[in-house]
Structures are given as C-alpha cells and as structure tokens.
C-alpha cells in the first residue's frame, strides 16, 4: 500500500512538469504600460524642444492646440485631427493677420490656417517617429529584444531540464513496482495492475514531454513574431516620415506657385495701368 501511494505521488509530480517549466522567465517582458508611457514621454520631449523651430511664428496657437487635444492625462498624446482643427479655428477666428508673424504661412487667414493645420499633423508624425527611432526609443527596443532572446533561451534550458527530470521520474516509478511481480509470486491481478501503471507512466511522460516541446516551439514563434513586428513598425515610421516630407514639399511648391502667380498678376496690372495712363487722350 505504501509503495502504491508513493507511485501515485510520483505520477502526479510527473503530471505537473509543464507548470514547473513555465516559471522564472526573463524579466522586462510584458511591461507594456511602462514602455508606452516612455514612448509618450519621448513624444512630449520632442514637442517641447522643436515646437518653436517648426511652427514659428504660430507656436502659441500650436502649443495650445496640442495641449488641449490630449485625451489622456497620463499618456499625454495629442489627437492629430483634433489638434489640427483647433489650431485652424484659432487662427481663423482671431484673424491672425500680422505680416511679421505670417512669413512662413500665407497672408490669407483661411489658407494660412489650413497650412498650419497640416504642419501640426506633420509635427506630430515626426514626434511619433522620434519616440520610436530616436536614441531612447532604440534603447527600449534593444532591451525588449534582449529580454525576449534571454527568455527564449531560458525556456529552451527548462525544456531540456524537464526532459531529463521526466526520464528520472519514469525510472523511479518503475523502481517502485512491487518486487513480487518480477519473482513470479504475484497474482494475475497484480501483474495486470503493474502493467497498467507502467503503461500509464510511459504515456504521461511522453504526453508531458510533447506538451513542453510544443510550448517551447510556440514561445520561439512568438519571439520571432515580436521581432518582426518591431521591424515592421520601424518601417512604417520611415514611410510616415517620407509622406510628411512629400506633403511639406508639395505645400511649399504650391505656395511658391501662388506667390509667382500673384507677382505676375501684380506686374501685369501695373503695366496695364501705365499703358492706359500714357494712351489716354485729354478731352477739352
């Protein structure tokens, strides 16, 4: 009876091997909230350091729009659509027409407001890219990838240890089989019970080892997927930067064309006025 009880506990121990293999993973993974707060902090730092350079002379309106469009008190990430609309409304409603302050943007309030709105959207896009591709963002990415690789190595080591431990449990379970079975003194019932226990031990061992191997493979796939996701995210940031630059170049080209058109129209009007003046006859 005592040996049967010990054998039962041995089989139960073998059954919980996967749970043992899942503990003590690498640290640093799963801290998604902490990492995202770091990302938003980097965006905020970029906004603070580059607002005047990118949005002068309307930085006051832009700063107010960015601050008022933040939807979360902890993340403090501005809504680009809301921020653009707010700065546009501010410029139009307050008739921001100072010639000295409108050097980068159009003199027409509506056209200038749309230009500032587009620049705010590009500014937020660049801030997001800076938070991911900048120095601190790359350091966070490196730490996450290193922790992922360390965790996968730990899982692989625990899988190997579990395999060795499983074989030890199986051998110990076999050693607990009553001796009367091997010396021929056992009854038919004892032989049948012992055979069933031996077969059950083999089955549990094989099943649990297979489960551990599957979990190891799944962990490796998840790690590879995570690394690919990071690379894809970085590629998207580069694409967003390129689109922002293209948008800015297009807007500047359109602005230059409007200036040339206005200049040509003014020159034509002046020439026409002069011709009319010289060609007019004095009626007595």
């Amino acid at each position: 009876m005592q040996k049967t009880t010990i054998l039962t506990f041995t089989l139960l121990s073998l059954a919980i091997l996967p749970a043992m293999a899942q503990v003590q993973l690498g640290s640093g993974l799963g801290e998604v909230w902490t990492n995202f707060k770091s990302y938003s902090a980097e965006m905020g730092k970029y906004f603070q350091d580059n607002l005047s350079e990118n949005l002068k002379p309307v930085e006051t309106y832009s700063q107010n729009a960015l601050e008022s469009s933040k939807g979360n008190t902890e993340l403090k990430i501005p809504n680009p659509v809301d921020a653009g609309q707010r700065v546009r409304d501010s410029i139009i409603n307050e008739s921001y027409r100072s010639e000295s302050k409108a050097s980068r943007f159009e003199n027409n309030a509506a056209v200038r407001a749309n230009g500032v709105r587009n620049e705010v959207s590009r500014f937020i896009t660049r801030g997001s890219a800076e938070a991911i591709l900048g120095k601190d963002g790359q350091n966070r990415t490196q730490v996450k990838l290193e922790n992922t690789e360390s965790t996968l190595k730990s899982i692989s080591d625990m899988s190997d240890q579990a395999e060795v431990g499983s074989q030890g449990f199986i051998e110990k379970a076999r050693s607990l089989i009553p001796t009367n079975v091997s010396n021929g003194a056992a009854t038919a019932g004892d032989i049948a019970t012992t055979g069933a226990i031996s077969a059950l031990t083999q089955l549990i061992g094989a099943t649990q080892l297979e489960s551990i191997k599957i979990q190891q493979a799944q962990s490796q796939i998840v790690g590879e997927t995570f690394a690919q996701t990071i690379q894809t995210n970085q590629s998207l940031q580069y694409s967003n930067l390129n689109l922002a630059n293209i948008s800015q170049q297009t807007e500047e080209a359109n602005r230059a064309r409007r200036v040339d058109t206005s200049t040509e129209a003014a020159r034509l009007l002046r020439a026409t006025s002069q011709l009319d003046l010289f060609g007019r006859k004095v009626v007595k």
Side-chain angles (χ1 to χ4, degrees):
M1 180 65 182
Q2 184 179 5
K3 290 185 177 182
T4 303
T5 302
I6 295 175
L7 180 59
T8 302
F9 281 120
T10 302
L11 294 175
L12 290 176
S13 299
L14 182 62
I16 64 173
L17 277 175
M20 295 171 58
Q22 292 176 4
V23 299
Q24 296 180 349
L25 298 181
S27 61
L29 294 180
E31 298 177 354
V32 291
W33 175 239
T34 301
N35 290 327
F36 206 89
K37 284 195 296 185
S38 299
Y39 160 78
S40 64
E42 284 301 306
M43 283 188 66
K45 185 176 183 299
Y46 177 85
F47 295 155
Q48 182 178 359
D49 295 342
N50 296 273
L51 183 65
S52 296
E53 179 181 354
N54 286 268
L55 287 161
K56 188 177 182 179
V58 292
E59 63 268 25
T60 301
Y61 294 93
S62 303
Q63 178 67 37
N64 293 336
L66 291 173
E67 289 295 330
S68 58
S69 65
K70 293 176 180 178
N72 188 290
T73 56
E74 291 192 62
L75 287 181
K76 299 181 179 179
I77 296 178
N79 179 346
V81 177
D82 187 35
Q85 188 62 39
R86 286 176 183 270
V87 72
R88 180 182 184 278
D89 293 342
S90 297
I91 293 176
I92 291 179
N93 294 337
E94 297 183 23
S95 300
Y96 188 71
R97 302 175 182 275
S98 174
E99 184 69 23
S100 62
K101 294 183 178 180
S103 57
R104 268 199 65 193
F105 304 99
E106 301 289 342
N107 292 326
N108 181 277
V111 177
R112 180 171 66 252
N114 288 331
V116 175
R117 178 182 60 184
N118 295 337
E119 185 63 25
V120 167
S121 297
R122 290 191 289 266
F123 182 64
I124 295 176
T125 299
R126 294 188 179 101
S128 176
E130 169 69 19
I132 294 176
L133 303 175
K135 180 179 178 181
D136 292 337
Q138 291 185 30
N139 288 337
R140 288 196 304 271
T141 300
Q142 178 182 351
V143 171
K144 292 179 72 67
L145 291 175
E146 287 177 345
N147 288 336
T148 301
E149 185 174 349
S150 176
T151 299
L152 292 177
K153 186 177 184 302
S154 298
I155 292 174
S156 179
D157 293 341
M158 285 187 291
S159 176
D160 295 338
Q161 294 173 6
E163 184 174 2
V164 174
S166 175
Q167 294 298 329
F169 278 126
I170 293 175
E171 295 299 326
K172 187 173 183 179
R174 288 175 176 174
S175 68
L176 294 176
I177 295 176
T179 56
N180 59 353
V181 174
S182 59
N183 59 22
T187 63
D190 292 336
I191 295 175
T193 301
T194 301
I197 291 175
S198 179
L200 180 61
T201 302
Q202 293 281 2
L203 178 61
I204 292 178
T207 301
Q208 299 303 336
L209 283 178
E210 187 68 21
S211 176
I212 293 173
K213 292 297 183 183
I214 291 175
Q215 292 177 6
Q216 179 185 3
Q218 290 175 339
S219 300
Q220 292 173 344
I221 293 173
V222 170
E224 291 288 344
T225 302
F226 174 68
Q228 291 294 331
T229 300
I230 290 180
Q231 292 180 353
T232 301
N233 191 24
Q234 290 180 339
S235 298
L236 288 174
Q237 294 303 320
Y238 288 123
S239 298
N240 291 338
L241 283 176
N242 288 332
L243 291 175
N245 293 334
I246 292 173
S247 171
Q248 185 174 20
Q249 292 172 0
T250 302
E251 195 165 290
E252 290 175 351
N254 291 336
R255 185 183 302 119
R257 185 168 59 251
R258 287 195 297 269
V259 171
D260 292 341
T261 302
S262 300
T263 302
E264 185 64 26
R267 185 184 297 112
L268 180 61
L269 178 61
R270 184 170 60 252
T272 303
S273 301
Q274 291 175 350
L275 289 175
D276 182 66
L277 178 62
F278 290 134
R280 180 176 300 177
K281 296 181 179 180
V282 177
V283 178
K284 296 182 179 180

